[in-house]
Amino acid sequence: MTIKVGIINVTGYAGSELARILYRHPEVEITAVTGRSAAGKRLPEAMPHLWQIDLPITSAIEEPVDVVFSALPSGASAEALAPLVDQGVKAIDIAADFRLRDPEIFNRAYGVEHPAPHLLGSAVYGLPEIHREAIKTTNLVANPGCFPEASLLALAPAVREGLVADDIIIDAKSGISGAGRGGQSTNIMDQYSEANENAMAYGLNGHGHQPEIAQEIADLREANSAKVTFVPHRIPMTRGILATCYAPLIDETMSKQAVWDMYEEFYRDEPFVKVTPEPPQTKHTLGSNFCLVHPTVDVQAGRLIVVSCLDNLVKGAAGQAVQNMNLMCGLPENMSLESLALYP
Amino acid sequence: MTIKVGIINVTGYAGSELARILYRHPEVEITAVTGRSAAGKRLPEAMPHLWQIDLPITSAIEEPVDVVFSALPSGASAEALAPLVDQGVKAIDIAADFRLRDPEIFNRAYGVEHPAPHLLGSAVYGLPEIHREAIKTTNLVANPGCFPEASLLALAPAVREGLVADDIIIDAKSGISGAGRGGQSTNIMDQYSEANENAMAYGLNGHGHQPEIAQEIADLREANSAKVTFVPHRIPMTRGILATCYAPLIDETMSKQAVWDMYEEFYRDEPFVKVTPEPPQTKHTLGSNFCLVHPTVDVQAGRLIVVSCLDNLVKGAAGQAVQNMNLMCGLPENMSLESLALYP
Amino acid sequence: MTIKVGIINVTGYAGSELARILYRHPEVEITAVTGRSAAGKRLPEAMPHLWQIDLPITSAIEEPVDVVFSALPSGASAEALAPLVDQGVKAIDIAADFRLRDPEIFNRAYGVEHPAPHLLGSAVYGLPEIHREAIKTTNLVANPGCFPEASLLALAPAVREGLVADDIIIDAKSGISGAGRGGQSTNIMDQYSEANENAMAYGLNGHGHQPEIAQEIADLREANSAKVTFVPHRIPMTRGILATCYAPLIDETMSKQAVWDMYEEFYRDEPFVKVTPEPPQTKHTLGSNFCLVHPTVDVQAGRLIVVSCLDNLVKGAAGQAVQNMNLMCGLPENMSLESLALYP
Amino acid sequence: MTIKVGIINVTGYAGSELARILYRHPEVEITAVTGRSAAGKRLPEAMPHLWQIDLPITSAIEEPVDVVFSALPSGASAEALAPLVDQGVKAIDIAADFRLRDPEIFNRAYGVEHPAPHLLGSAVYGLPEIHREAIKTTNLVANPGCFPEASLLALAPAVREGLVADDIIIDAKSGISGAGRGGQSTNIMDQYSEANENAMAYGLNGHGHQPEIAQEIADLREANSAKVTFVPHRIPMTRGILATCYAPLIDETMSKQAVWDMYEEFYRDEPFVKVTPEPPQTKHTLGSNFCLVHPTVDVQAGRLIVVSCLDNLVKGAAGQAVQNMNLMCGLPENMSLESLALYP
């Protein structure tokens, strides 16, 4: 019994990446893809690199599907998904709409009223390394943001095991595809000539991924809140996130090796997290669903430093979404996700 | 019965790309990988992005294999392969050593005496779109150079069908990985800071791929020689070749549509060549085994123009080699090669 | 007596590059800068890298100036310049509006009726290496397109001296800034993630720079027309044009050295053209007003090959415009243009 | 009276950048340039982009000069400079040899015995924004490292004015040219294909710039030591450093505006530091001698965040060195350094 899948907004970067991954999934058939300005075209006209997937782009999912992914912008996404979820379709939201449990925090972070607050209670935060069992039994998964994905995988072991104080700094660097496609065309900074050979911090007045990280860190600490400074940066590459995380060690004398061993133990059975002996490189994850994590210690300062990296469009978006779908559908977790990184 | 495969010089770009592709091949097991300076290490130490393939790197193939790939530099490659070929192992040479039928032309092009001229007679030029049947029955395939692969797929239909005069210009642009790895470290131009944001022509006094292209073009014309100007360029990207080919039409009034239809017909059944309606982009082939070909006509000048592109490490090297292996072993031609391009 | 200068459309790449160069010109004061959507802002608000030039951006030149540059898109440019030219202001048009002598060819190439055909007769094509004396005495200069600038400097010696037949191919590669800024935001291909690590041909159905090149080549040949195939390509770098030009030698036995000597002689006294002994690199011109030219011969094919390169925003636009202004104003030709290239 | 200048090791990136800047300095003549492997060639043979500076490359400074710059690697630099300094030549060392006052710390940081400890007492740390008066009267300036330059300009106001506690984190991102040229060829990570589209942290076990930063921060605090975590990262661009600095505010309620005003006041008269209203971009400094500094506050965490950027080869090396020379020679501080940034 093939699983029928729909992709809402296939023409963005996350949407087309879903199509790329699902095209080869042995248990899945993509039966519907939607777009906004591209509705009415065939998929290969809008995305020539997907010429093998010759489907019509419609403006909405018109036939029943078993699973739906939404890669719409935040706000629009919950609106499109709500009726499908209400009908019992399994849904994975790649937007931010179901990540924050508190609709008021959502409102402050994204500047819009939450369009489907009645679904917040049943949504599960789709980070299998922390919430695997809950993902298996829900019908609505909130796929993590790309920065939170990298940050939480870097910090979860240390926070859950109580290694660090409540004072975390995350300095994250993202490739430009993280800013999305098309709709961003008013943003001059996505233009090649200005993004190329350029680096900058942004979001210094607050970024939507900060409350998402803080919510999960607080949970891991079993606390009500968490002190987290999060500064995202844009660096000139297409894909990839590198997160460098800093936190004071409770035991300032803890050795690098002890920290590393603890991380290795924590992630021993995870199919998509690798604790690396050397500082990881974003390019070692290109096109793959792996997250690489490297913990170490600044001995002089008694500070934990963890560097993590992943491909923001795979483990940070579409690959993570397929991993969640596999869990929701009782399939092997790594189905269609085993590709090694493309290097160089 | 799993096919045992050895990769000679796995630590170069073509060699590690072979490992990436073969790792997921359902009929193959990589049982031996060799290196030069990295011999003695485990593969993941030398190539961290291949941590899933935890094999020892040896200095030579030590156990029997069914198929061997060589990704050594030209000259060294034939030397390493000859004894294996003589033992009956199926061999695919990614270097240039068996591409030119005439050892004197090889000598002029590569500056070394041919180390195994006795094997030249049995070697088949590994371009399945032209030599598929011969590939199926040989034990020694000379995998095409990356530039010839793109150029010949662009020109084969027009030359074989007699559309153009014997006066061809190929202006080819390659990403920097085409220059290889490591051994090139004396070449300052491979350094990031000098290759980045930089473009240049090279090989203006003769490039080893010119006689290879000329040999095959002459064959397609059923002539003894061919007039081919070939100018390679380096452009600042990691992977990808774009070849723009120019030739005078015999019938200067031939329409774009007629040319396009002929190309479409020529490649109709090819699994890895796509004739595109729009000028192709190298990024539409990234990480995939496809070659995109777009023929058109400069009507004012009566000139055929064909633009083709491919990923130089896949269809231009390792992917083409696996395609050849599949043919030599009687497997489905596209096995392990179906991945869509990674975009963006 | 300081020369008062106005820049129309300072917020594009050519306009802001003019501001950068003119800011340090000892005989010039920038007194007016205009913009479209940015009108009403200060220049540093719109272009933070020009914070030292704290001028208001107006929607039109409001005070008298001695010299005006227009960096508007084609069509709009002639409209904005015509009244100023009619008032006797010296004008340099960086758009294409006054490059083609024949308004019908302009119409075909740019799809708009020429807005000021009465000025075409007095406009001089602003390539000093060919038209220096005429530039000195005109009030209206048509600054060359970036591709024609590189192509004509590559070909002028061979064509004027009658070395080559009437059968020229120009394969040109441009960085992405050649596509302009802002107004191009509907063009998804200017987005970083899609332009990066990507190369493609375009303009295969005709490009506005082809008739411009053909007009000047025909003039150099003292002929009514010229057979010129021109294929532009986009390559992933911000600045730089590399043009590779091919033409059959009349005397097929002419040596590389003889051709090189002829070129060296032709450009001996030119302040901004350098005939190079090795194939030139675009990065050797970054930020400078130099054009590098390297002629050679494909001996087997009896073909002249000339590779040239320049910075498309300097010698291909703003620097060339300042060079023209210097000539029009009787100033030393290289004033404010002596900067060496930024490398690496 | 023209100042005669020698450049030791002109063939590296800092050395050739010195030549570029000094070539146009109105009070300076470059009279000697040295190289190692390139000794015996003319400068344009080794560095084609400097064809206008047709000097012989010698293996040592052979004729008397007034000022000498050394761009040798650390260790070798002090050895080459010591005899010249002893003769009274004004010397500016771009290497690290005279930056650390304590030769033992130098030994630990760079793994070599200090070759000229007798000169450490007279060397001045060449950061004019902090040590301007001392620079004017010394004969030996230790030009700051590129990371310390960016970090100290970001932190000096806050540290000197006592705004922050002794607990600083510097997360710095550098373009690849920071790794130097040529001598690094054994470092595969400088190869284009591996550095491109890649980001990573490094130096996690200690980086030579950490004690340099700590020394100066301690001085600014008038303390004996400083707690500074410094993590450098490589990002895929040629030039540019972006430093993001974090420190706890003593007064956690201090406003962004108050901090910004204090920074603005601190740097009001500095010719090469600009406090920016928006987060700065590395590209806004390309090829210029400016450092951009943007202070802000994470209000929730009571944390100062300062982002700074500069061109690592100009304000981070050669430009800073010329600025120091101007001060040492009594010339206007900005002479030959007024170029605006090249953008885009």
Side-chain angles (χ1 to χ4, degrees):
Chain A
M1 278 283 294
T2 299
I3 297 166
K4 287 188 178 139
V5 165
I7 301 171
I8 298 177
N9 203 30
V10 73
T11 54
Y13 294 146
S16 63
E17 190 70 351
L18 273 170
R20 180 182 74 87
I21 295 170
L22 291 170
Y23 175 65
R24 298 196 51 209
H25 195 296
E27 304 292 334
V28 156
E29 186 189 2
I30 306 171
T31 59
V33 296
T34 82
R36 292 178 291 179
S37 59
K41 294 185 183 172
R42 311 287 301 181
L43 184 49
E45 285 175 273
M47 310 296 278
H49 73 288
L50 297 176
W51 80 84
Q52 294 95 335
I53 310 178
D54 190 13
L55 289 171
I57 302 175
T58 56
S59 56
I61 304 281
E62 289 164 356
E63 301 288 325
V65 294
D66 303 307
V67 177
V68 66
F69 294 89
S70 169
L72 281 169
S74 293
S77 193
E79 215 163 325
L81 285 178
L84 293 159
V85 175
D86 290 339
Q87 289 161 34
V89 177
K90 289 183 203 293
I92 296 141
D93 182 21
I94 295 187
D97 291 3
F98 299 104
R99 295 178 195 156
L100 297 169
R101 284 192 300 268
D102 183 337
E104 296 217 359
I105 295 180
F106 177 84
N107 183 307
R108 275 202 300 277
Y110 293 94
V112 289
E113 197 84 10
H114 198 286
H118 69 289
L119 292 175
L120 286 173
S122 60
V124 173
Y125 190 73
L127 193 60
E129 291 79 4
I130 299 181
H131 301 290
R132 180 171 284 113
E133 294 313 310
I135 293 166
K136 287 181 182 172
T137 58
T138 187
N139 266 353
L140 175 56
V141 161
N143 216 53
C146 50
F147 284 124
E149 179 94 36
S151 304
L152 293 169
L153 292 175
L155 290 165
V159 173
R160 183 127 88 186
E161 304 299 325
L163 262 60
V164 291
D166 180 26
D167 185 15
I168 288 172
I169 293 172
I170 300 164
D171 186 293
K173 300 90 181 163
S174 172
I176 308 296
S177 65
R181 188 190 193 225
Q184 313 293 330
S185 61
T186 51
N187 186 347
I188 204 76
M189 284 309 307
D190 288 340
Q191 292 223 329
Y192 178 88
S193 298
E194 321 214 9
N196 185 38
E197 295 288 288
N198 203 356
M200 74 180 81
Y202 68 103
L204 289 167
N205 294 322
H207 185 285
H209 286 179
Q210 194 277 342
E212 182 182 337
I213 297 168
Q215 167 185 289
E216 295 295 311
I217 293 286
D219 276 13
L220 286 163
R221 294 176 55 82
E222 298 175 10
N224 289 322
S225 67
K227 183 176 169 186
V228 176
T229 293
F230 168 66
V231 179
H233 299 75
R234 292 169 64 116
I235 61 175
M237 58 191 200
T238 299
R239 292 177 179 228
I241 282 182
L242 189 77
T244 312
C245 307
Y246 306 87
L249 283 168
I250 300 281
D251 170 6
E252 293 197 6
T253 66
M254 193 168 181
S255 73
K256 292 182 191 192
Q257 188 64 45
V259 170
W260 198 89
D261 289 345
M262 196 275 277
Y263 268 69
E264 173 72 4
E265 173 66 23
F266 191 95
Y267 284 127
R268 171 162 306 164
D269 299 323
E270 284 300 333
F272 293 115
V273 181
K274 164 82 176 168
V275 182
T276 65
E278 299 293 330
Q281 305 176 21
T282 57
K283 201 174 182 109
H284 287 166
T285 67
L286 181 65
S288 86
N289 197 49
F290 292 93
C291 177
L292 308 180
V293 176
H294 178 73
T296 189
V297 173
D298 178 347
V299 177
Q300 285 184 321
R303 201 166 347 243
L304 175 73
I305 303 174
V306 190
V307 186
S308 66
C309 67
L310 50 75
D311 182 324
N312 57 304
L313 295 180
V314 189
K315 183 64 172 166
Q320 179 59 83
V322 173
Q323 186 180 353
N324 283 324
M325 180 200 75
N326 287 339
L327 288 168
M328 294 165 85
C329 296
L331 299 170
E333 188 168 344
N334 66 352
M335 197 169 257
S336 200
L337 295 170
E338 311 92 334
S339 287
L340 304 190
L342 197 67
Y343 185 93
Chain B
M1 275 284 294
T2 299
I3 297 167
K4 289 189 177 138
V5 165
I7 302 172
I8 298 177
N9 203 29
V10 73
T11 54
Y13 294 146
S16 63
E17 190 70 352
L18 273 169
R20 180 183 74 86
I21 294 170
L22 291 169
Y23 175 64
R24 298 196 50 209
H25 195 295
E27 303 292 333
V28 156
E29 186 190 1
I30 306 171
T31 59
V33 295
T34 82
R36 291 178 291 180
S37 59
K41 294 185 183 171
R42 310 287 301 180
L43 183 50
E45 285 176 274
M47 311 295 277
H49 73 289
L50 297 176
W51 81 84
Q52 295 94 336
I53 310 177
D54 190 15
L55 289 171
I57 302 175
T58 56
S59 57
I61 304 281
E62 290 165 355
E63 302 288 325
V65 294
D66 302 306
V67 177
V68 66
F69 295 88
S70 169
L72 281 168
S74 294
S77 193
E79 216 162 325
L81 284 178
L84 293 159
V85 175
D86 290 341
Q87 289 162 33
V89 176
K90 290 183 201 296
I92 295 141
D93 182 21
I94 295 187
D97 291 2
F98 298 104
R99 296 179 195 156
L100 297 169
R101 283 192 301 268
D102 183 336
E104 297 218 358
I105 295 180
F106 176 85
N107 182 306
R108 275 201 301 276
Y110 294 94
V112 289
E113 197 84 12
H114 198 287
H118 69 288
L119 293 174
L120 285 174
S122 61
V124 173
Y125 189 73
L127 193 59
E129 291 79 4
I130 299 180
H131 301 292
R132 181 171 284 114
E133 293 313 310
I135 294 166
K136 288 182 181 172
T137 58
T138 188
N139 266 354
L140 175 55
V141 161
N143 217 53
C146 50
F147 284 125
E149 178 95 35
S151 305
L152 293 169
L153 292 174
L155 290 163
V159 173
R160 184 128 87 186
E161 303 299 324
L163 261 60
V164 292
D166 181 26
D167 186 16
I168 288 172
I169 293 172
I170 300 164
D171 186 292
K173 300 90 181 164
S174 173
I176 308 297
S177 65
R181 186 186 194 230
Q184 313 293 329
S185 61
T186 52
N187 186 349
I188 202 78
M189 285 308 308
D190 288 339
Q191 293 224 328
Y192 179 88
S193 298
E194 321 216 7
N196 184 38
E197 294 288 287
N198 203 356
M200 73 180 81
Y202 67 104
L204 290 166
N205 294 322
H207 184 284
H209 286 178
Q210 195 276 342
E212 181 182 339
I213 298 169
Q215 167 185 290
E216 295 295 310
I217 292 285
D219 275 14
L220 286 164
R221 294 176 56 83
E222 298 175 10
N224 289 322
S225 67
K227 182 176 169 186
V228 175
T229 293
F230 168 66
V231 179
H233 299 74
R234 293 168 63 115
I235 62 176
M237 57 192 201
T238 299
R239 291 176 180 229
I241 282 182
L242 188 77
T244 311
C245 308
Y246 306 87
L249 284 168
I250 300 282
D251 170 5
E252 292 199 5
T253 66
M254 194 168 181
S255 73
K256 292 181 190 190
Q257 188 63 45
V259 170
W260 199 89
D261 289 345
M262 195 274 276
Y263 268 70
E264 173 73 5
E265 174 65 24
F266 191 95
Y267 284 127
R268 172 161 305 164
D269 299 323
E270 283 300 334
F272 292 116
V273 182
K274 164 81 176 167
V275 181
T276 65
E278 300 292 331
Q281 306 176 21
T282 57
K283 200 174 182 109
H284 287 166
T285 67
L286 181 65
S288 86
N289 198 49
F290 292 93
C291 177
L292 307 180
V293 176
H294 178 74
T296 188
V297 173
D298 178 346
V299 177
Q300 285 184 322
R303 202 169 340 246
L304 176 73
I305 303 174
V306 191
V307 186
S308 67
C309 66
L310 49 75
D311 183 324
N312 57 303
L313 296 179
V314 188
K315 184 64 173 165
Q320 179 59 83
V322 172
Q323 186 180 353
N324 283 324
M325 180 200 77
N326 286 339
L327 288 168
M328 294 165 85
C329 295
L331 299 170
E333 189 169 343
N334 66 351
M335 198 169 254
S336 201
L337 295 169
E338 312 93 334
S339 288
L340 304 191
L342 197 67
Y343 184 94
Chain C
M1 276 284 295
T2 299
I3 297 167
K4 287 187 179 139
V5 165
I7 302 172
I8 298 177
N9 204 31
V10 73
T11 54
Y13 294 146
S16 64
E17 190 70 353
L18 273 169
R20 181 182 74 86
I21 295 170
L22 291 170
Y23 175 64
R24 298 196 50 209
H25 195 296
E27 304 291 333
V28 156
E29 185 188 3
I30 306 172
T31 58
V33 295
T34 82
R36 291 177 292 179
S37 59
K41 293 186 182 171
R42 310 287 300 182
L43 183 50
E45 284 176 274
M47 309 296 277
H49 72 289
L50 297 176
W51 81 82
Q52 295 95 337
I53 310 178
D54 190 13
L55 289 171
I57 302 175
T58 56
S59 57
I61 303 281
E62 289 165 353
E63 302 287 324
V65 294
D66 302 307
V67 176
V68 65
F69 296 87
S70 170
L72 281 169
S74 294
S77 193
E79 216 163 323
L81 284 178
L84 292 159
V85 175
D86 290 339
Q87 289 162 34
V89 177
K90 289 181 202 294
I92 296 141
D93 182 20
I94 294 185
D97 291 2
F98 298 103
R99 295 178 195 157
L100 297 169
R101 283 192 301 267
D102 183 335
E104 296 217 359
I105 295 180
F106 177 84
N107 183 306
R108 276 202 300 277
Y110 293 94
V112 289
E113 198 83 11
H114 199 287
H118 69 288
L119 292 175
L120 286 174
S122 62
V124 172
Y125 190 74
L127 194 60
E129 291 79 4
I130 299 180
H131 301 292
R132 181 170 283 113
E133 293 313 310
I135 293 166
K136 288 182 181 171
T137 57
T138 187
N139 265 355
L140 175 55
V141 160
N143 217 54
C146 50
F147 284 124
E149 178 95 34
S151 305
L152 294 169
L153 292 174
L155 290 164
V159 173
R160 182 128 87 188
E161 304 299 325
L163 260 60
V164 291
D166 181 26
D167 186 15
I168 289 172
I169 292 172
I170 300 165
D171 186 294
K173 300 91 181 162
S174 172
I176 308 296
S177 65
R181 187 187 194 228
Q184 313 293 329
S185 61
T186 53
N187 186 348
I188 204 77
M189 286 308 310
D190 289 339
Q191 293 223 329
Y192 178 88
S193 298
E194 319 214 10
N196 185 37
E197 294 288 288
N198 203 357
M200 74 180 80
Y202 68 103
L204 289 167
N205 294 321
H207 184 284
H209 286 177
Q210 194 275 343
E212 181 182 338
I213 297 168
Q215 167 185 291
E216 295 295 311
I217 294 286
D219 276 15
L220 287 163
R221 294 175 55 81
E222 297 176 10
N224 289 322
S225 68
K227 182 176 169 186
V228 175
T229 293
F230 168 67
V231 179
H233 298 74
R234 291 168 64 116
I235 62 174
M237 56 191 203
T238 299
R239 293 178 178 227
I241 282 182
L242 189 76
T244 313
C245 306
Y246 305 87
L249 284 168
I250 299 282
D251 170 5
E252 292 197 7
T253 65
M254 193 168 180
S255 73
K256 292 181 191 192
Q257 188 63 45
V259 169
W260 198 90
D261 289 345
M262 195 274 277
Y263 268 69
E264 172 74 5
E265 173 67 23
F266 191 94
Y267 285 127
R268 171 161 306 164
D269 299 324
E270 284 300 332
F272 293 114
V273 182
K274 165 81 176 168
V275 181
T276 65
E278 300 293 330
Q281 306 176 21
T282 57
K283 202 174 179 109
H284 287 167
T285 66
L286 181 64
S288 86
N289 198 50
F290 291 93
C291 178
L292 308 180
V293 176
H294 178 74
T296 188
V297 173
D298 178 347
V299 176
Q300 286 183 321
R303 200 168 344 245
L304 176 73
I305 302 174
V306 190
V307 186
S308 66
C309 67
L310 50 76
D311 182 324
N312 57 303
L313 295 180
V314 187
K315 183 64 173 167
Q320 178 60 82
V322 172
Q323 187 180 353
N324 283 324
M325 180 200 77
N326 286 339
L327 288 168
M328 293 165 87
C329 295
L331 299 169
E333 189 168 342
N334 67 351
M335 197 168 256
S336 200
L337 295 170
E338 311 92 335
S339 287
L340 304 190
L342 199 66
Y343 185 93
Chain D
M1 275 286 295
T2 299
I3 296 167
K4 286 188 179 139
V5 165
I7 302 172
I8 298 177
N9 204 30
V10 72
T11 56
Y13 294 146
S16 64
E17 190 70 351
L18 273 170
R20 181 183 74 86
I21 294 170
L22 290 170
Y23 175 64
R24 298 196 50 209
H25 195 296
E27 303 291 333
V28 156
E29 186 188 4
I30 306 171
T31 58
V33 295
T34 82
R36 290 176 293 178
S37 59
K41 294 186 183 171
R42 310 288 301 182
L43 184 50
E45 284 176 274
M47 309 295 276
H49 73 289
L50 297 176
W51 80 82
Q52 295 94 336
I53 310 179
D54 190 14
L55 289 171
I57 302 175
T58 56
S59 57
I61 304 280
E62 289 164 355
E63 301 288 323
V65 293
D66 302 306
V67 177
V68 66
F69 295 88
S70 169
L72 281 169
S74 294
S77 193
E79 216 163 324
L81 284 179
L84 293 159
V85 175
D86 290 339
Q87 289 161 34
V89 177
K90 289 182 203 295
I92 296 142
D93 181 21
I94 294 186
D97 291 2
F98 298 105
R99 294 179 196 157
L100 297 169
R101 282 191 302 268
D102 182 337
E104 296 217 359
I105 295 180
F106 177 84
N107 183 308
R108 276 201 301 277
Y110 293 94
V112 289
E113 197 84 12
H114 198 287
H118 69 288
L119 292 175
L120 286 174
S122 60
V124 173
Y125 190 73
L127 194 59
E129 291 78 5
I130 299 180
H131 300 292
R132 181 171 282 112
E133 293 314 309
I135 293 166
K136 287 182 181 173
T137 57
T138 187
N139 265 355
L140 175 56
V141 161
N143 216 55
C146 50
F147 283 125
E149 178 96 35
S151 305
L152 294 169
L153 292 175
L155 290 164
V159 173
R160 183 128 85 187
E161 303 299 324
L163 260 59
V164 290
D166 181 25
D167 186 15
I168 288 172
I169 294 172
I170 300 164
D171 187 293
K173 300 90 181 165
S174 173
I176 308 297
S177 65
R181 186 185 195 230
Q184 314 293 328
S185 61
T186 52
N187 186 348
I188 203 78
M189 285 309 308
D190 288 340
Q191 292 223 330
Y192 179 87
S193 299
E194 320 215 10
N196 185 36
E197 295 288 288
N198 203 356
M200 74 180 81
Y202 67 103
L204 289 167
N205 293 322
H207 184 285
H209 286 178
Q210 195 276 343
E212 181 182 339
I213 297 169
Q215 167 185 290
E216 295 295 311
I217 293 284
D219 275 15
L220 286 163
R221 294 175 56 81
E222 297 176 9
N224 288 323
S225 67
K227 183 176 169 186
V228 176
T229 293
F230 168 67
V231 179
H233 298 75
R234 292 168 63 115
I235 61 174
M237 57 190 202
T238 299
R239 293 177 179 227
I241 281 181
L242 189 76
T244 313
C245 306
Y246 305 87
L249 282 168
I250 300 282
D251 170 5
E252 292 198 7
T253 67
M254 193 169 181
S255 73
K256 292 182 191 192
Q257 188 63 47
V259 170
W260 198 90
D261 289 346
M262 195 274 275
Y263 268 71
E264 173 72 6
E265 173 67 23
F266 191 96
Y267 284 127
R268 173 161 303 164
D269 299 324
E270 283 300 332
F272 292 115
V273 182
K274 164 82 176 168
V275 181
T276 65
E278 299 293 330
Q281 307 176 21
T282 57
K283 202 174 180 107
H284 286 167
T285 66
L286 181 65
S288 87
N289 198 50
F290 291 94
C291 178
L292 308 180
V293 176
H294 177 74
T296 188
V297 173
D298 178 346
V299 176
Q300 286 184 321
R303 198 163 355 238
L304 176 74
I305 303 174
V306 191
V307 186
S308 67
C309 68
L310 50 75
D311 182 324
N312 57 302
L313 296 179
V314 187
K315 183 64 173 166
Q320 178 60 82
V322 172
Q323 187 181 352
N324 283 324
M325 179 200 77
N326 286 339
L327 288 168
M328 293 164 86
C329 295
L331 300 169
E333 188 168 344
N334 66 351
M335 196 168 256
S336 201
L337 295 170
E338 312 92 333
S339 286
L340 303 191
L342 198 66
Y343 185 93

